[in-house]
Amino acid sequence: MEKRLFGSTGQQFPILSFGAQRIVDEHNCTEEEAIQIVNRAIDEGITYFDTAPSYSNGQSEERLGKALALQNRRHEVWIATKTHDRTRDGSLKLLEASLKRLQTDHVDEWRLHNIMTMEELDQCFAKGGALEALLEAKEQGLIKHISISGHTNPRVQLEAIERYAFDSALVALSAADHLVYSFAHEFLPKAIEKGVAIIGMKVMALGKLAPWYAKALQYTFSLPVSTAIVGMESMAQLEQNLAIAKSFKPMTDLEQLAFLKEIMHLANPDVLRWKSNDWVSGEWYIRE
């Protein structure tokens, strides 16, 4: 697979990375299957693994940790996890629990999870806010790099990288996202200028782009991203993604335009639910 630089970190990753959100019972993936899928991914060269404590109440982190510990593979991978708490104290508690589930003494990357609004950003940056936890954890060696993620409004993440030199940003970069509040148009140029590593997510638009599976992956890989995470709940999905990534050729401008015209009907609130300000409800972090 093609490898790309990860922002200004000096690290490189293959264009395909592993979204561990789906290696859980909720997505009909058993623990045994999860362990097999993770190890197969590593065998095939995937080294970047994204998870979060909110994914199935910690089961995603727990299974990723078990998969790596069983064959002593922690040193082979880069682990990114998140905090959905907006306070210092709450975030540090989440990190402590994440490290236990992941069976590691550090994570390579810790993210402010899904910052949707300027108000949330202000909370994180305020005295006693989550950013204090990230800075303290880095100073203590519990994390190596500081990140932020966002699905909804690229202007929030633009403001974030003006306020702090984040090492990376995980943002929604499906072809459908191109059409509404486009991170590709609004966020990527400034992030690249600042040396921020960009991780693409929502590649399949919560399954809505499945009929165009290969094209959807090709579109996101063709953007100036460092890598793209794809959620995988079965060995068949992993193998399909690997085959597409290994044969990847960038889309031409005309190919991209033709694809966007083909999927333009998907640019509606029923599909792009994460673009809505009320997408995050009280139970979202449990449900996700």
mmCIF file of all heavy atoms in Angstrom, residues 3-28:
data_model
loop_
_atom_site.group_PDB
_atom_site.id
_atom_site.type_symbol
_atom_site.label_atom_id
_atom_site.label_comp_id
_atom_site.label_asym_id
_atom_site.label_seq_id
_atom_site.Cartn_x
_atom_site.Cartn_y
_atom_site.Cartn_z
ATOM 1 N N LYS A 3 2.240 4.663 1.186
ATOM 2 C CA LYS A 3 2.397 5.291 2.503
ATOM 3 C C LYS A 3 2.539 6.799 2.337
ATOM 4 O O LYS A 3 3.066 7.283 1.330
ATOM 5 C CB LYS A 3 3.628 4.734 3.225
ATOM 6 C CG LYS A 3 3.464 3.309 3.725
ATOM 7 C CD LYS A 3 4.665 2.901 4.576
ATOM 8 C CE LYS A 3 4.468 1.513 5.161
ATOM 9 N NZ LYS A 3 5.611 1.125 6.044
ATOM 10 N N ARG A 4 2.051 7.522 3.362
ATOM 11 C CA ARG A 4 2.139 8.976 3.332
ATOM 12 C C ARG A 4 2.631 9.503 4.675
ATOM 13 O O ARG A 4 2.420 8.883 5.718
ATOM 14 C CB ARG A 4 0.774 9.586 3.007
ATOM 15 C CG ARG A 4 0.283 9.232 1.613
ATOM 16 C CD ARG A 4 -1.070 9.837 1.331
ATOM 17 N NE ARG A 4 -1.602 9.373 0.051
ATOM 18 C CZ ARG A 4 -2.834 9.591 -0.384
ATOM 19 N NH1 ARG A 4 -3.678 10.281 0.388
ATOM 20 N NH2 ARG A 4 -3.239 9.133 -1.553
ATOM 21 N N LEU A 5 3.245 10.686 4.609
ATOM 22 C CA LEU A 5 3.705 11.337 5.833
ATOM 23 C C LEU A 5 2.525 11.743 6.698
ATOM 24 O O LEU A 5 1.475 12.156 6.187
ATOM 25 C CB LEU A 5 4.530 12.572 5.497
ATOM 26 C CG LEU A 5 5.969 12.328 5.035
ATOM 27 C CD1 LEU A 5 6.585 13.636 4.543
ATOM 28 C CD2 LEU A 5 6.807 11.741 6.178
ATOM 29 N N PHE A 6 2.710 11.645 8.012
ATOM 30 C CA PHE A 6 1.675 11.990 8.967
ATOM 31 C C PHE A 6 1.951 13.388 9.503
ATOM 32 O O PHE A 6 2.527 13.580 10.580
ATOM 33 C CB PHE A 6 1.653 10.953 10.092
ATOM 34 C CG PHE A 6 0.403 10.992 10.937
ATOM 35 C CD1 PHE A 6 -0.824 10.631 10.411
ATOM 36 C CD2 PHE A 6 0.473 11.374 12.272
ATOM 37 C CE1 PHE A 6 -1.964 10.653 11.194
ATOM 38 C CE2 PHE A 6 -0.667 11.399 13.057
ATOM 39 C CZ PHE A 6 -1.890 11.036 12.527
ATOM 40 N N GLY A 7 1.570 14.379 8.707
ATOM 41 C CA GLY A 7 1.785 15.763 9.097
ATOM 42 C C GLY A 7 3.245 16.069 9.322
ATOM 43 O O GLY A 7 4.110 15.682 8.529
ATOM 44 N N SER A 8 3.523 16.738 10.431
ATOM 45 C CA SER A 8 4.897 17.134 10.764
ATOM 46 C C SER A 8 5.556 16.179 11.760
ATOM 47 O O SER A 8 6.624 16.490 12.284
ATOM 48 C CB SER A 8 4.893 18.550 11.359
ATOM 49 O OG SER A 8 4.343 19.471 10.448
ATOM 50 N N THR A 9 4.935 15.025 11.990
ATOM 51 C CA THR A 9 5.447 14.110 13.023
ATOM 52 C C THR A 9 6.656 13.306 12.568
ATOM 53 O O THR A 9 7.372 12.754 13.390
ATOM 54 C CB THR A 9 4.357 13.114 13.455
ATOM 55 O OG1 THR A 9 4.050 12.241 12.347
ATOM 56 C CG2 THR A 9 3.091 13.840 13.908
ATOM 57 N N GLY A 10 6.863 13.197 11.244
ATOM 58 C CA GLY A 10 7.926 12.339 10.727
ATOM 59 C C GLY A 10 7.486 10.900 10.544
ATOM 60 O O GLY A 10 8.193 10.085 9.942
ATOM 61 N N GLN A 11 6.298 10.562 11.062
ATOM 62 C CA GLN A 11 5.742 9.213 10.947
ATOM 63 C C GLN A 11 5.110 9.033 9.567
ATOM 64 O O GLN A 11 4.678 10.000 8.927
ATOM 65 C CB GLN A 11 4.696 9.011 12.043
ATOM 66 C CG GLN A 11 4.123 7.610 12.146
ATOM 67 C CD GLN A 11 5.100 6.628 12.751
ATOM 68 O OE1 GLN A 11 5.983 7.016 13.515
ATOM 69 N NE2 GLN A 11 4.964 5.360 12.418
ATOM 70 N N GLN A 12 5.046 7.791 9.105
ATOM 71 C CA GLN A 12 4.361 7.463 7.857
ATOM 72 C C GLN A 12 3.350 6.347 8.113
ATOM 73 O O GLN A 12 3.593 5.456 8.935
ATOM 74 C CB GLN A 12 5.347 6.985 6.788
ATOM 75 C CG GLN A 12 6.187 8.071 6.163
ATOM 76 C CD GLN A 12 6.987 7.547 4.972
ATOM 77 O OE1 GLN A 12 7.324 6.365 4.903
ATOM 78 N NE2 GLN A 12 7.271 8.419 4.029
ATOM 79 N N PHE A 13 2.237 6.396 7.386
ATOM 80 C CA PHE A 13 1.238 5.330 7.488
ATOM 81 C C PHE A 13 0.711 4.967 6.110
ATOM 82 O O PHE A 13 0.660 5.814 5.208
ATOM 83 C CB PHE A 13 0.052 5.781 8.355
ATOM 84 C CG PHE A 13 0.394 5.999 9.795
ATOM 85 C CD1 PHE A 13 0.420 7.280 10.328
ATOM 86 C CD2 PHE A 13 0.733 4.934 10.618
ATOM 87 C CE1 PHE A 13 0.748 7.491 11.646
ATOM 88 C CE2 PHE A 13 1.066 5.134 11.947
ATOM 89 C CZ PHE A 13 1.075 6.411 12.456
ATOM 90 N N PRO A 14 0.272 3.710 5.929
ATOM 91 C CA PRO A 14 -0.436 3.351 4.700
ATOM 92 C C PRO A 14 -1.722 4.168 4.575
ATOM 93 O O PRO A 14 -2.271 4.648 5.578
ATOM 94 C CB PRO A 14 -0.749 1.865 4.906
ATOM 95 C CG PRO A 14 0.236 1.384 5.915
ATOM 96 C CD PRO A 14 0.461 2.552 6.832
ATOM 97 N N ILE A 15 -2.206 4.305 3.366
ATOM 98 C CA ILE A 15 -3.409 5.107 3.136
ATOM 99 C C ILE A 15 -4.633 4.500 3.828
ATOM 100 O O ILE A 15 -5.567 5.227 4.178
ATOM 101 C CB ILE A 15 -3.687 5.296 1.630
ATOM 102 C CG1 ILE A 15 -3.699 3.946 0.896
ATOM 103 C CG2 ILE A 15 -2.673 6.247 1.023
ATOM 104 C CD1 ILE A 15 -4.091 4.061 -0.565
ATOM 105 N N LEU A 16 -4.646 3.192 4.041
ATOM 106 C CA LEU A 16 -5.758 2.530 4.723
ATOM 107 C C LEU A 16 -5.398 2.296 6.177
ATOM 108 O O LEU A 16 -4.386 1.667 6.487
ATOM 109 C CB LEU A 16 -6.086 1.190 4.051
ATOM 110 C CG LEU A 16 -7.162 0.339 4.742
ATOM 111 C CD1 LEU A 16 -8.520 1.044 4.707
ATOM 112 C CD2 LEU A 16 -7.254 -1.041 4.092
ATOM 113 N N SER A 17 -6.250 2.811 7.074
ATOM 114 C CA SER A 17 -6.075 2.574 8.500
ATOM 115 C C SER A 17 -7.344 1.961 9.079
ATOM 116 O O SER A 17 -8.394 1.928 8.437
ATOM 117 C CB SER A 17 -5.713 3.874 9.219
ATOM 118 O OG SER A 17 -4.396 4.270 8.898
ATOM 119 N N PHE A 18 -7.223 1.481 10.313
ATOM 120 C CA PHE A 18 -8.241 0.613 10.899
ATOM 121 C C PHE A 18 -9.120 1.375 11.889
ATOM 122 O O PHE A 18 -8.641 1.842 12.913
ATOM 123 C CB PHE A 18 -7.562 -0.551 11.618
ATOM 124 C CG PHE A 18 -8.469 -1.710 11.937
ATOM 125 C CD1 PHE A 18 -8.442 -2.856 11.163
ATOM 126 C CD2 PHE A 18 -9.350 -1.654 13.009
ATOM 127 C CE1 PHE A 18 -9.272 -3.928 11.452
ATOM 128 C CE2 PHE A 18 -10.180 -2.708 13.308
ATOM 129 C CZ PHE A 18 -10.149 -3.851 12.531
ATOM 130 N N GLY A 19 -10.408 1.459 11.583
ATOM 131 C CA GLY A 19 -11.380 1.987 12.526
ATOM 132 C C GLY A 19 -11.916 0.851 13.371
ATOM 133 O O GLY A 19 -12.603 -0.044 12.875
ATOM 134 N N ALA A 20 -11.589 0.868 14.676
ATOM 135 C CA ALA A 20 -11.913 -0.265 15.551
ATOM 136 C C ALA A 20 -13.297 -0.159 16.183
ATOM 137 O O ALA A 20 -13.655 -0.981 17.033
ATOM 138 C CB ALA A 20 -10.852 -0.389 16.638
ATOM 139 N N GLN A 21 -14.088 0.807 15.778
ATOM 140 C CA GLN A 21 -15.407 1.006 16.370
ATOM 141 C C GLN A 21 -16.304 -0.220 16.216
ATOM 142 O O GLN A 21 -17.171 -0.478 17.056
ATOM 143 C CB GLN A 21 -16.082 2.217 15.721
ATOM 144 C CG GLN A 21 -17.470 2.524 16.262
ATOM 145 C CD GLN A 21 -18.115 3.708 15.565
ATOM 146 O OE1 GLN A 21 -17.456 4.441 14.839
ATOM 147 N NE2 GLN A 21 -19.400 3.915 15.779
ATOM 148 N N ARG A 22 -16.079 -1.006 15.159
ATOM 149 C CA ARG A 22 -17.035 -2.056 14.825
ATOM 150 C C ARG A 22 -16.610 -3.471 15.235
ATOM 151 O O ARG A 22 -17.353 -4.419 14.984
ATOM 152 C CB ARG A 22 -17.319 -2.022 13.313
ATOM 153 C CG ARG A 22 -18.036 -0.749 12.888
ATOM 154 C CD ARG A 22 -18.218 -0.642 11.389
ATOM 155 N NE ARG A 22 -19.011 0.515 11.029
ATOM 156 C CZ ARG A 22 -20.332 0.516 10.872
ATOM 157 N NH1 ARG A 22 -20.997 -0.606 11.040
ATOM 158 N NH2 ARG A 22 -20.973 1.620 10.558
ATOM 159 N N ILE A 23 -15.468 -3.624 15.880
ATOM 160 C CA ILE A 23 -15.054 -4.976 16.286
ATOM 161 C C ILE A 23 -15.684 -5.310 17.647
ATOM 162 O O ILE A 23 -15.017 -5.690 18.608
ATOM 163 C CB ILE A 23 -13.518 -5.131 16.334
ATOM 164 C CG1 ILE A 23 -12.867 -4.030 17.185
ATOM 165 C CG2 ILE A 23 -12.956 -5.138 14.918
ATOM 166 C CD1 ILE A 23 -11.379 -4.290 17.468
ATOM 167 N N VAL A 24 -17.005 -5.212 17.691
ATOM 168 C CA VAL A 24 -17.759 -5.317 18.946
ATOM 169 C C VAL A 24 -19.018 -6.155 18.732
ATOM 170 O O VAL A 24 -19.471 -6.370 17.607
ATOM 171 C CB VAL A 24 -18.161 -3.912 19.457
ATOM 172 C CG1 VAL A 24 -16.925 -3.098 19.835
ATOM 173 C CG2 VAL A 24 -18.987 -3.162 18.415
ATOM 174 N N ASP A 25 -19.583 -6.615 19.850
ATOM 175 C CA ASP A 25 -20.814 -7.412 19.788
ATOM 176 C C ASP A 25 -21.928 -6.677 19.062
ATOM 177 O O ASP A 25 -22.717 -7.279 18.326
ATOM 178 C CB ASP A 25 -21.285 -7.748 21.211
ATOM 179 C CG ASP A 25 -20.355 -8.712 21.923
ATOM 180 O OD1 ASP A 25 -19.554 -9.388 21.246
ATOM 181 O OD2 ASP A 25 -20.428 -8.793 23.171
ATOM 182 N N GLU A 26 -22.004 -5.376 19.279
ATOM 183 C CA GLU A 26 -23.061 -4.557 18.687
ATOM 184 C C GLU A 26 -23.089 -4.669 17.170
ATOM 185 O O GLU A 26 -24.136 -4.510 16.539
ATOM 186 C CB GLU A 26 -22.843 -3.100 19.111
ATOM 187 C CG GLU A 26 -23.940 -2.146 18.727
ATOM 188 C CD GLU A 26 -23.669 -0.731 19.223
ATOM 189 O OE1 GLU A 26 -22.760 -0.552 20.055
ATOM 190 O OE2 GLU A 26 -24.370 0.175 18.774
ATOM 191 N N HIS A 27 -21.938 -4.949 16.577
ATOM 192 C CA HIS A 27 -21.860 -5.107 15.120
ATOM 193 C C HIS A 27 -21.647 -6.569 14.735
ATOM 194 O O HIS A 27 -21.093 -6.873 13.662
ATOM 195 C CB HIS A 27 -20.744 -4.223 14.561
ATOM 196 C CG HIS A 27 -21.074 -2.763 14.600
ATOM 197 N ND1 HIS A 27 -21.857 -2.154 13.651
ATOM 198 C CD2 HIS A 27 -20.761 -1.804 15.498
ATOM 199 C CE1 HIS A 27 -21.996 -0.869 13.951
ATOM 200 N NE2 HIS A 27 -21.346 -0.628 15.065
ATOM 201 N N ASN A 28 -22.088 -7.463 15.610
ATOM 202 C CA ASN A 28 -22.049 -8.907 15.347
ATOM 203 C C ASN A 28 -20.648 -9.428 15.072
ATOM 204 O O ASN A 28 -20.449 -10.333 14.251
ATOM 205 C CB ASN A 28 -22.983 -9.261 14.171
ATOM 206 C CG ASN A 28 -24.420 -8.882 14.455
ATOM 207 O OD1 ASN A 28 -24.955 -9.193 15.516
ATOM 208 N ND2 ASN A 28 -25.054 -8.189 13.525
#
